């Protein structure tokens, strides 16, 4: 007998038929003699719809009330899924995040899991119940409901698998696994059988939303092997683990991220300490900066350009205005950009990956605006209108032979 954690995303439980399908997968696993804990997301586009409803009423809702609203999506899906399992004749109980013991930090909207008090989960398993847990949510020290950030149910599942030392952690979704590019956009994308935590973390951070990046971070920390697979087609998926077979691939994936804003600060004095002041101010505001470029301007000035996520752009601009005596015209923010990346541990030992990527872009007349590299990834910033074409071209360059 094994303890298996299964997570089902929003599209896997989008309507009654899909809920019954998922209930079938869960009860089959249970009837094979396993203990089963299930994490489920809100149905279909429920979370997006709830956000839209909030903004119809208030364009600046407090984060606390937003979390109160958004957690309701998962409350609906756990109850419906439990009812479907009851119908199939298995013992089941649904639990909200707080009932399942999820204690989080107090940062509404982006709370971090601090601990899982697993007594209730264990007691329900001892009573041979299938346990259905609401993903994406917990409770903070003020006894308020919190959410873990978009896509957070993946993290809920990995956290339970770690806390209960589960034998398996399966993330069911609407595609067959992790592919070399988004299989909905790139027809030739190849399913990976295995991938390392480090590569998956880069892919997830750089735009492959099939797994939430925090969930991969947590899986690596607690050594939880994740299996990503389809809830609609019973075929093997992708295993995410510490050491993975390379499958003779230099690059493991191509990603696109359009949640990027490029901010340029021009005409700043060319003296020491400017970059320090600027980026420490952004760090104080908890703004993550990605690509940074500094160049020498005219008349002993310099320009600094960097990228942040779109929702941090305005805060970043305000912070810069308050730090430097700077004219409005010297801060330029462009949100019509996209970041295209290639990821793969193999590139560390193979020169020429960057030139291959740049050649593919050049051949398709796509201009590169900024470049950043690490040991296992290369990212370029380009015009958002070229993004889909760029993904196809770069993917073709690495995988079509
Ligand atoms: P869920 O609702 O199950 O959490 P998500 O929509 O969050 O599902 O993630 C699954 C989606 O991720 C897929 O439908 C696919 O379009 C997208 N995706 C993007 N990049 C990749 C990739 N490299 N491999 C697989 N899926 C990807
Ligand atoms: N329902 C939440 C969201 O849409 C959490 C999740 O799906 O993982 O972001
Ligand atoms: Mg998801």
């Amino acid at each position: 007998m094994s303890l298996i954690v299964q997570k089902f995303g929003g599209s896997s439980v989008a309507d009654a038929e899909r809920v019954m399908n998922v209930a079938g997968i869960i009860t089959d696993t249970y009837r094979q003699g396993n203990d089963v804990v299930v994490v489920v997301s809100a149905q279909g586009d429920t979370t997006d719809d709830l956000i839209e409803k909030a903004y119809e009423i208030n364009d600046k809702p407090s984060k606390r009330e937003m979390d109160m609203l958004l957690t309701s999506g998962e409350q609906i899906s756990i109850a419906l899924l439990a009812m479907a399992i009851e119908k199939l004749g298995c013992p089941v109980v649904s639990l909200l995040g707080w009932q399942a013991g999820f204690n989080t930090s107090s940062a509404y909207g982006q709370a971090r899991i601090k601990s899982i008090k697993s007594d209730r989960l264990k007691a329900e398993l001892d009573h041979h119940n299938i346990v259905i847990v609401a993903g994406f949510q917990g409770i903070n020290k003020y006894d308020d409901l919190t959410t873990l950030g978009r896509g957070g149910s993946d993290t809920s599942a990995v956290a339970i698998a770690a806390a209960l030392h589960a034998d398996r952690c399966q993330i069911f979704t609407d595609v067959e696994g992790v592919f070399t590019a988004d299989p909905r956009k790139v027809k030739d994308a190849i399913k990976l059988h295995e991938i390392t935590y480090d590569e998956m973390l880069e892919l997830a951070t750089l735009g492959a939303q099939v797994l939430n990046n925090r969930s991969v971070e947590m899986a690596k920390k607690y050594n939880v092997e994740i299996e990503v697979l389809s809830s609609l087609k019973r075929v093997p998926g992708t295993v995410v683990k510490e050491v993975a077979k390379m499958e003779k691939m230099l690059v493991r994936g191509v990603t696109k991220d359009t949640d990027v804003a490029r901010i340029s600060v021009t005409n700043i004095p060319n003296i020491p300490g400017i970059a320090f002041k600027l980026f420490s101010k952004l760090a104080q505001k908890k703004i993550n900066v990605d690509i940074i470029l500094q160049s020498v301007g005219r008349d002993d000035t310099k320009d600094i350009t960097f990228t942040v996520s779109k929702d941090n752009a305005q805060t970043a601009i305000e912070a810069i205005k308050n730090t430097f005596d700077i004219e409005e015209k010297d801060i330029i923010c462009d949100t019509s950009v996209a970041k295209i990346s290639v990821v793969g541990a193999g590139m560390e030992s193979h020169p020429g990956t960057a030139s291959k990527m740049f050649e593919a872009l050049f051949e398709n007349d796509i201009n590169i605006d900024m470049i950043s590299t690490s040991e296992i990834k290369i990212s370029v910033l380009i015009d958002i209108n070229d993004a889909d074409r760029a993904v196809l071209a770069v993917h073709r360059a690495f995988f079509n032979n």
Side-chain angles (χ1 to χ4, degrees), residues 7 9-10 41-44 46-48 70 74 135-136 149-154 212:
K7 179 256 167 178
S41 301
Q43 289 184 288
T46 302
T47 308
D48 289 328
L70 296 191
E74 272 71 11
F136 171 61
R150 296 306 303 271
S153 296
D154 297 335
N212 175 278

Side-chain angles (χ1 to χ4, degrees), residues 248-382:
K248 292 200 186 116
M249 280 180 194
L250 178 63
V251 158
R252 309 285 260 166
V254 183
T255 60
K256 170 183 93 170
D257 183 2
T258 53
D259 181 19
V260 188
R262 183 190 54 200
I263 299 176
S264 297
V265 192
T266 59
N267 284 319
I268 27 186
N270 192 13
I271 50 171
I274 295 286
F276 162 66
K277 263 197 210 160
L278 198 160
F279 292 110
S280 55
K281 192 75 193 182
L282 298 181
Q284 269 173 27
K285 299 270 173 196
K286 294 202 162 31
I287 296 175
N288 242 328
V289 175
D290 187 27
I291 311 178
I292 300 175
L293 194 78
Q294 178 174 299
S295 52
V296 179
R298 269 168 288 162
D299 305 328
D300 218 18
T301 62
K302 61 183 159 194
D303 303 342
I304 297 181
T305 303
F306 57 90
T307 62
V308 296
S309 67
K310 279 186 174 136
D311 61 348
N312 277 328
Q314 208 42 49
T315 320
I317 291 169
E318 294 303 325
I320 296 164
K321 277 191 197 152
N322 295 337
T323 313
F324 299 103
D325 182 20
I326 224 164
E327 287 184 51
E328 194 83 28
K329 71 168 177 47
D330 288 329
I331 305 183
I332 303 157
C333 176
D334 188 353
T335 52
S336 58
V337 290
K339 186 167 57 179
I340 307 298
S341 310
V342 293
V343 173
M347 70 174 70
E348 230 180 324
S349 50
H350 285 82
T353 314
S355 68
K356 195 166 184 167
M357 180 184 193
F358 302 159
E359 183 185 12
L361 295 169
F362 164 67
E363 278 175 351
N364 285 272
D365 207 19
I366 295 168
N367 189 39
I368 300 174
D369 203 22
M370 293 171 90
I371 300 171
S372 92
T373 63
S374 80
E375 281 162 6
I376 66 166
K377 67 125 204 230
I378 300 163
S379 298
V380 296
L381 201 73
I382 61 169

Side-chain angles (χ1 to χ4, degrees), residues 133-147:
V133 179
F136 171 61
Q137 57 173 259
I139 194 169
N140 67 15
K141 64 180 176 196
Y142 308 113
D143 281 351
D144 279 342
L145 299 181
T146 52
T147 64

Side-chain angles (χ1 to χ4, degrees), residues 7-14 39-44 153-154 171-173:
K7 179 256 167 178
F8 297 91
S11 48
S12 298
V13 291
V39 171
V40 69
S41 301
Q43 289 184 288
S153 296
D154 297 335
I171 308 272
F172 288 86
T173 183

